[in-house]
Amino acid sequence: MSREKLTFHGGIHPRGAKSLSKKVAIQQFLPQGNMIYPLSQHIGAPAVPVVEAGDYVLAGQKIAEAGGFVSAPIYASVSGKIKGLVSHLTLTGAVTTAIELENDHEYRSVEFPEPTDPKTLDKEEILRRIGEAGVVGMGGAGFPTRVKLSPKEPEKMEYILVNGAECEPYLTSDYRLMLERPEEIIGGLKIVLQMFPKAKGCICIEDNKMDCVELMEHLTAGEHRIEVKTLVAKYPQGGERFLIQAVTGRQINSSGLPADAGCIVNNVETMTAIYRAVVYQKPVTHRTVTVTGSAIRHPGNFDVPCGTCVNELIEAAGGFVCQPEKIVSGGPMMGFSLFNTDTPTTKTSNCILCMQKDRVAAVEQMACVNCGRCMSVCPEKLIPARLARFAEHHDSAAFQKWYGMECVECGCCTFICPSKRPLAQSIKSMRQTVLAERRKQNAKGGK
């Protein structure tokens, strides 16, 4: 069968390394230690605790409510006694307020209502259930899904894109979900399409996962509002802007949202969470996590209760074959390096990557040779070498003039640079400086 393979400008083809865990089915994981639930597991206001020290809670019981419109509640993922609020390190390296729960190892759960046929629910009830369940973007962004599914002009939404690209090397959690729980993904998409009657659903999968493409095509045969789109396997194909560009031909910049292009984009794990929230009224308490890398004895994929310590996950994967030089939360391109594994998983944790060697730290940086490779792979058609030079000289005005704020921090430029210059890191630092200055100016203007 001939399929059109869609793509976008630029991008790179890093070594996938997905074979380490690709064939390992999702394993159920039961944590043994205490659970830590950061109150900020999403974009927006932190959740507000609704429990106190000494309270006994069941898995699936709300322990923190949404702190505003752009926020999301948090639920216990195991049963046990609340120890109280603590300051704890997160996977991104920040210190935040969290709820600590003493695991009683009984794993008792609240009782959930009988399943509901989504077709009997109106849009407001569907949105309420999604919001109440604490569903957020589980591909990494963490934007509250209820808010994403409430665009200002819903009648203009033409595409609901299910992001199954999983373009980061090593990650296979989305791949396993598509193979093992495709009905939930499709069910979640149908629920979203029910809210946007003019939209078409597109399940978007890279061509290095053709078994997923074929399975989804089989399961959606006869669904006139759903298509399976095959994408060229290329990083960063999973980025919202580039997925939209590849599938629809439309483009957005840093000042726009997918809704401005008539699109809503949700990760495959988010779609399963939508399905469970609407049909079973089950909150987000678990997520799929890949534990992999050359330093891991038995790489695999795990169904993990949120709040589980990373140390426990590493042990569940057989521990280390040797002490890793680098541990990353997420993929190697856009993940966060960990210096402490005594940190909890959250709704947005998709991978723990443990590498025997830190090849990035070992390379020697050299002068730019003006080869233009960074420009050729930049998906935003920027000139990264020039932007990095502006950043190094703290030239904010020139940085913004040359569209530095359009950078998506994908790291393609750093990956391809023959001089091994940390282009993406310099640009990211400058973007943070500019954003901080803008917030400062806005605060002054509001006085």
Side-chain angles (χ1 to χ4, degrees):
M1 179 180 176
S2 177
R3 297 180 180 86
E4 180 185 9
K5 296 184 179 181
L6 308 173
T7 191
F8 61 99
H9 168 83
I12 56 174
H13 298 85
R15 185 175 70 90
K18 293 178 182 288
S19 59
L20 291 172
S21 57
K22 185 176 182 179
K23 295 183 179 180
V24 184
I26 299 170
Q27 306 168 59
Q28 298 297 315
F29 175 77
L30 293 178
Q32 299 301 309
N34 287 357
M35 311 296 286
I36 303 293
Y37 303 99
L39 297 176
S40 293
Q41 297 189 32
H42 47 263
I43 291 175
V48 180
V50 294
V51 291
E52 298 179 349
D55 289 350
Y56 183 81
V57 298
L58 301 173
Q61 183 174 333
K62 185 187 292 187
I63 57 175
E65 62 185 6
F69 179 68
V70 184
S71 186
I74 297 169
Y75 292 79
S77 53
V78 301
S79 56
K81 185 180 292 186
I82 299 295
K83 295 194 70 175
L85 294 179
V86 296
S87 292
H88 210 282
L89 191 69
T90 68
L91 291 172
T92 62
V95 176
T96 188
T97 302
I99 297 173
E100 183 174 5
L101 186 155
E102 185 177 353
N103 186 354
D104 67 2
H105 309 115
E106 294 184 12
Y107 309 105
R108 299 169 61 200
S109 173
V110 301
E111 292 186 8
F112 296 104
E114 289 295 315
T116 306
D117 182 352
K119 294 179 181 177
T120 65
L121 305 176
D122 60 22
K123 182 176 182 179
E124 288 68 29
E125 177 60 16
I126 291 174
L127 286 173
R128 187 196 69 78
R129 291 190 181 194
I130 291 171
E132 184 64 18
V135 182
V136 302
M138 298 173 77
F143 194 81
T145 302
R146 172 182 54 86
V147 180
K148 181 180 282 190
L149 297 179
S150 305
K152 292 181 179 179
E153 299 177 295
E155 69 282 357
K156 293 185 178 180
M157 297 304 104
E158 298 179 65
Y159 293 94
I160 308 300
L161 305 183
V162 181
N163 189 348
E166 196 169 47
C167 60
E168 274 268 16
Y170 290 93
L171 274 65
T172 57
S173 55
D174 285 354
Y175 170 77
R176 292 309 313 182
L177 270 178
M178 287 187 283
L179 282 184
E180 298 181 40
R181 304 173 191 169
E183 294 86 357
E184 293 187 7
I185 296 169
I186 296 168
L189 174 56
K190 288 181 178 179
I191 289 170
V192 177
L193 287 172
Q194 182 178 324
M195 293 190 287
F196 300 96
K198 296 181 180 180
K200 177 171 67 175
C202 298
I203 302 175
C204 312
I205 307 171
E206 286 189 326
D207 62 4
N208 60 355
K209 310 174 188 68
M210 290 308 298
D211 46 354
C212 294
V213 171
E214 292 168 359
L215 177 60
M216 290 295 184
E217 286 179 339
H218 172 71
L219 294 176
T220 58
E223 297 285 349
H224 70 280
R225 294 184 64 197
I226 298 178
E227 293 183 12
V228 180
K229 299 291 187 179
T230 306
L231 311 169
V232 174
K234 183 170 64 169
Y235 175 86
Q237 181 65 82
E240 277 191 338
R241 295 190 201 176
F242 315 122
L243 191 67
I244 291 170
Q245 180 182 338
V247 176
T248 72
R250 302 174 182 180
Q251 296 186 9
I252 54 174
N253 58 24
S254 61
S255 62
L257 295 170
D260 297 326
C263 300
I264 292 175
V265 183
N266 279 309
N267 171 264
V268 292
E269 180 122 28
T270 307
M271 281 301 183
T272 66
I274 290 172
Y275 178 79
R276 295 175 182 180
V278 175
V279 175
Y280 300 102
Q281 297 187 57
K282 287 187 176 182
V284 176
T285 57
H286 291 61
R287 70 149 300 131
T288 315
V289 181
T290 300
V291 184
T292 188
S294 58
I296 290 293
R297 192 175 305 278
H298 302 300
N301 302 285
F302 299 87
D303 186 26
V304 181
C306 296
T308 298
C309 179
V310 168
N311 285 327
E312 288 197 56
L313 271 183
I314 292 172
E315 288 303 311
F320 298 134
V321 295
C322 66
Q323 188 60 35
E325 288 187 1
K326 192 166 192 175
I327 301 177
V328 177
S329 170
M333 297 302 298
M334 294 188 72
F336 296 89
S337 295
L338 298 181
F339 59 88
N340 187 335
T341 53
D342 183 24
T343 51
T345 60
T346 65
K347 298 177 186 180
T348 59
S349 306
N350 56 11
C351 181
I352 303 298
L353 172 59
C354 306
M355 295 180 280
Q356 291 187 20
K357 299 294 182 182
D358 185 356
R359 302 187 186 280
V360 174
V363 300
E364 182 179 354
Q365 180 181 339
M366 296 177 287
C368 176
V369 295
N370 296 314
C371 64
R373 292 184 187 178
C374 60
M375 184 171 58
S376 70
V377 300
C378 177
E380 285 293 334
K381 303 179 182 179
L382 305 176
I383 310 177
R386 180 172 294 174
L387 293 174
R389 185 163 63 249
F390 293 146
E392 290 161 4
H393 290 85
H394 308 288
D395 191 341
S396 172
F399 181 85
Q400 294 179 74
K401 179 181 178 181
W402 285 89
Y403 306 103
M405 300 309 290
E406 293 302 314
C407 173
V408 294
E409 301 174 9
C410 64
C412 288
C413 52
T414 298
F415 178 88
I416 206 70
C417 179
S419 297
K420 308 304 179 185
R421 299 181 67 216
L423 302 173
Q425 292 85 339
S426 297
I427 295 169
K428 180 178 180 178
S429 178
M430 191 66 196
R431 289 185 75 251
Q432 291 174 339
T433 299
V434 172
L435 290 171
E437 184 61 31
R438 288 179 181 178
R439 287 192 295 268
K440 184 177 178 181
Q441 292 297 327
N442 290 336
K444 286 182 178 180
K447 290 183 179 179

